[in-house]
């Protein structure tokens, strides 16, 4: 009787761990910005599974560093602001980046500067029709 309960508990724990590793535990996050195409955000899970999101450059209004206060601590994170199709001056959505890895502010500043350089090149490049 007790061994059956113990075996069931171990089995459920293992299944829970596998689900956690496959769907929750993010091992690595990457950001690829191509000025003429868009921004690709990839999350690699501990199980090896990858999740990729692509945002077209026409939807990107800006990339900013945002801050939040959490438990007496200021947390900085990088965000993509998506342009509102109905209002060119408005923002329709804020997409936070690097939520699992939580890089330090100095690392975020380096990524921010690189993104801004690419966005600036896109604005100054002649538009082809």
């Amino acid at each position: 009787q007790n061994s059956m309960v113990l075996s069931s508990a171990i089995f459920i724990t293992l299944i829970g761990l596998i689900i956690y590793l496959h769907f929750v535990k993010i091992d690595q996050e990457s950001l690829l910005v191509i000025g003429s195409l868009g921004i690709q955000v990839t999350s690699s899970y501990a199980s090896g599974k990858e999740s990729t999101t692509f945002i077209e450059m026409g939807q990107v209004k800006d990339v900013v560093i945002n801050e939040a206060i959490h438990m007496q601590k200021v947390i900085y994170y990088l965000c993509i602001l998506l342009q509102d199709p109905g209002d060119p001056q408005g923002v329709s959505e804020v997409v936070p980046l690097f939520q699992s890895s939580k890089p330090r502010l100095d690392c975020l500043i380096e990524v921010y500067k690189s993104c801004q350089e690419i966005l600036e090149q896109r604005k100054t490049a002649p538009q082809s029709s």
Side-chain angles (χ1 to χ4, degrees):
Q1 178 80 20
N2 286 340
S3 64
M4 184 68 153
V5 171
L6 184 60
S7 296
S8 298
I10 291 172
F11 180 73
I12 291 172
T13 303
L14 287 175
I15 295 297
L17 182 61
I18 290 170
I19 290 171
Y20 173 77
L21 289 177
H22 191 67
F23 293 109
V24 178
K25 175 77 169 94
I26 295 178
D27 220 15
Q28 181 179 356
E29 294 175 298
S30 67
L31 179 71
L32 175 64
V33 182
I34 300 175
S36 59
L37 293 176
I39 298 174
Q40 177 178 301
V41 181
T42 304
S43 299
S44 300
Y45 292 84
S47 66
K49 176 185 150 209
E50 285 191 352
S51 171
T52 301
T53 304
F54 182 77
I55 302 169
E56 292 181 28
M57 197 53 84
Q59 295 179 309
V60 176
K61 181 172 179 72
D62 203 359
V63 175
V64 297
I65 295 177
N66 206 354
E67 62 186 14
I69 299 173
H70 177 70
M71 303 290 290
Q72 302 176 353
K73 186 177 175 183
V74 177
I75 300 170
Y76 298 96
Y77 57 98
L78 199 65
C79 291
I80 300 173
L81 303 179
L82 299 183
Q83 190 165 346
D84 188 357
D87 178 17
Q89 300 300 317
V91 174
S92 67
E93 190 176 344
V94 177
V95 180
L97 305 173
F98 306 123
Q99 289 185 318
S100 295
S101 55
K102 296 181 180 82
R104 295 185 327 260
L105 180 59
D106 57 339
C107 297
L108 287 178
I109 290 172
E110 290 298 318
V111 175
Y112 168 79
K113 286 179 181 178
S114 298
C115 290
Q116 288 300 324
E117 284 178 18
I118 294 170
L119 290 174
E120 195 59 39
Q121 288 174 0
R122 179 185 65 123
K123 290 176 186 174
T124 59
Q127 299 294 322
S128 59
S129 308

